[in-house]
Amino acid sequence: EAAVTQSPRNKVTVTGGNVTLSCRQTNSHNYMYWYRQDTGHGLRLIHYSYGAGNLQIGDVPDGYKATRTTQEDFFLLLELASPSQTSLYFCASSDELGGNQDTQYFGPGTRLLVL
Amino acid sequence: GQQVQQSPASLVLQEGENAELQCNFSTSLNSMQWFYQRPGGSLVSLFYNPSGTKHSGRLTSTTVIKERRSSLHISSSQTTDSGTYLCALAPLTEGADRLTFGKGTQLIIQP
């Protein structure tokens, strides 16, 4: 079964702080995704990647950067965190693009609180 | 406008009753998936079902493309079925490289 891990699981920071969320998948999937989940909005795509060195902009990218350093590792960077970025963040991976012919496998999530 | 709408937003049933969850979409479909989100956060894939009917234990997913809807049926519900059920689609054209999620149905099964 696909394995996607995220760290940290919980993070508290202050407004203006610098935060990096990490995601690792160990199934040689090509595609990785970062989502945020908020009450009333559901899951929204922030950034995604086709492979190492590649970055694609999602639906809610403002205030976020991302970097895919290897096939396994995908990072989400908040360089000037704001309270509006308080959310539950999920990383996911898939072998095929989007939802085509394959499911996405999700990590356990990271709860971020920006004070 | 919103591409994916789920109904009902919440559903409370007694253990043993059947649950019917709906997902309606407003775009041509490339793929449809159903996920279960445990209380506390993580998502688990239930079905990849772009068309037709699929079964897994007490769960049945039916996607009817012409009617632009997908449903998830849970028979003989159990308290452990409680949680949030999310449908997600990838459209056929613009945005085909990503999933768009509905807001979910919160299911509560009472003993």
Side-chain angles (χ1 to χ4, degrees), chain A residues 5-8 20-24 34 74-76 91 110:
Chain A
T5 56
Q6 293 182 235
S7 63
T20 298
L21 306 184
S22 302
C23 177
R24 167 166 281 203
W34 276 108
F74 196 28
F75 300 93
L76 186 67
C91 175
T110 294

Side-chain angles (χ1 to χ4, degrees), chain A:
Chain A
E1 186 170 325
V4 182
T5 56
Q6 293 182 235
S7 63
R9 295 295 311 279
N10 294 280
K11 176 73 176 179
V12 180
T13 190
V14 296
T15 299
N18 197 323
V19 177
T20 298
L21 306 184
S22 302
C23 177
R24 167 166 281 203
Q25 56 93 5
T26 58
N27 294 281
S28 302
H29 286 169
N30 292 320
Y31 307 102
M32 296 185 74
Y33 313 84
W34 276 108
Y35 296 91
R36 60 177 291 174
Q37 186 177 35
D38 305 286
T39 303
H41 290 282
L43 270 121
R44 294 180 289 175
L45 183 65
I46 305 171
H47 290 298
Y48 60 111
S49 169
Y50 292 176
N54 177 267
L55 182 65
Q56 302 293 318
I57 295 173
D59 299 320
V60 289
D62 293 346
Y64 301 96
K65 293 183 179 179
T67 180
R68 180 90 175 268
T69 54
T70 65
Q71 187 175 32
E72 295 78 18
D73 298 301
F74 196 28
F75 300 93
L76 186 67
L77 295 81
L78 291 72
E79 293 184 332
L80 287 171
S82 72
S84 64
Q85 293 176 307
T86 293
S87 187
L88 178 58
Y89 290 87
F90 286 103
C91 175
S93 72
S94 67
D95 199 27
E96 294 286 339
L97 191 58
N100 188 29
Q101 299 181 18
D102 190 20
T103 189
Q104 290 189 11
Y105 296 88
F106 280 78
T110 294
R111 290 192 179 276
L112 175 65
L113 174 61
V114 183
L115 300 173

Side-chain angles (χ1 to χ4, degrees), chain B:
Chain B
Q2 190 175 4
Q3 290 185 319
V4 186
Q5 292 189 318
Q6 291 190 244
S7 62
S10 63
L11 182 61
V12 181
L13 297 172
Q14 294 298 120
E15 194 167 27
E17 293 184 309
N18 298 331
E20 187 81 15
L21 283 57
Q22 297 291 338
C23 180
N24 293 281
F25 44 93
S26 58
T27 184
S28 299
L29 187 66
N30 188 35
S31 72
M32 167 62 69
Q33 297 182 24
W34 283 92
F35 294 88
Y36 167 66
Q37 187 170 22
R38 302 184 180 102
S42 61
L43 279 80
V44 175
S45 175
L46 296 174
F47 289 104
Y48 169 80
N49 186 19
S51 67
T53 298
K54 291 193 174 182
H55 303 277
S56 177
R58 295 181 293 107
L59 304 181
T60 301
S61 169
T62 300
T63 298
V64 183
I65 295 175
K66 284 195 300 185
E67 297 178 11
R68 297 199 169 178
R69 64 174 177 86
S70 182
S71 64
L72 180 67
H73 181 85
I74 304 173
S75 62
S76 304
S77 63
Q78 301 174 359
T79 56
T80 52
D81 294 330
S82 296
T84 301
Y85 292 81
L86 298 157
C87 66
L89 67 84
L92 194 59
T93 53
E94 186 177 347
D97 59 348
R98 64 190 69 183
L99 290 177
T100 298
F101 283 80
K103 294 182 180 180
T105 293
Q106 185 180 20
L107 179 64
I108 298 171
I109 306 298
Q110 297 178 333

